[in-house]
Amino acid sequence: MLAVNTKAIDFTLPDENGNPISLSSFKGKKVVLYFYPKDNTPGCTKQACAFKNAYDDFKKLDVAVIGISKDTSKSHLNFKNKYDLPFILLSDVDHKVIEAYDVWKEKKLYGKTYMGIMRSTYVIDEEGMIIKTFEKASPENNAKEILEYLQN
């Protein structure tokens, strides 16, 4: 993962509606940037719903929540609508941003090795600096751990 106290890499990706969103457009507010493997899978749904349930707390702290996976914008829109997710989902189908943020890793499942997204989260400050990382983030606890960090 990228190191704490380094500048977050700026990017522009399409959101669930196909609109281009740039990280730099959030300058002046903290951003939770979470990378997840796939829409509508059990762990990713659990994580997204945990962020949804904590979303009012993030809003009170003036923190933007952004999820990124290699799913299409259309897949993101369906996922967002199905679970009434209140935050932005960005599509990185060619995984350029995913790789730039060093979360494209070798994974193993049922003895098979493949490349995929390691569930990871970055907390970025108002100036675009990475202030906290959560490597191998827990689907159930990630949102809560981030809130605890931000509130201390």
Side-chain angles (χ1 to χ4, degrees), residues 36-74:
Y36 66 99
K38 190 157 181 48
D39 292 341
N40 288 303
T41 56
C44 297
T45 299
K46 211 175 273 180
Q47 185 179 23
C49 289
F51 275 113
K52 175 179 94 169
N53 294 339
Y55 190 69
D56 284 344
D57 293 323
F58 284 108
K59 271 181 64 177
K60 282 179 198 149
L61 296 170
D62 195 31
V63 176
V65 176
I66 302 171
I68 298 179
S69 80
K70 63 184 188 73
D71 294 296
T72 64
S73 293
K74 185 176 192 283

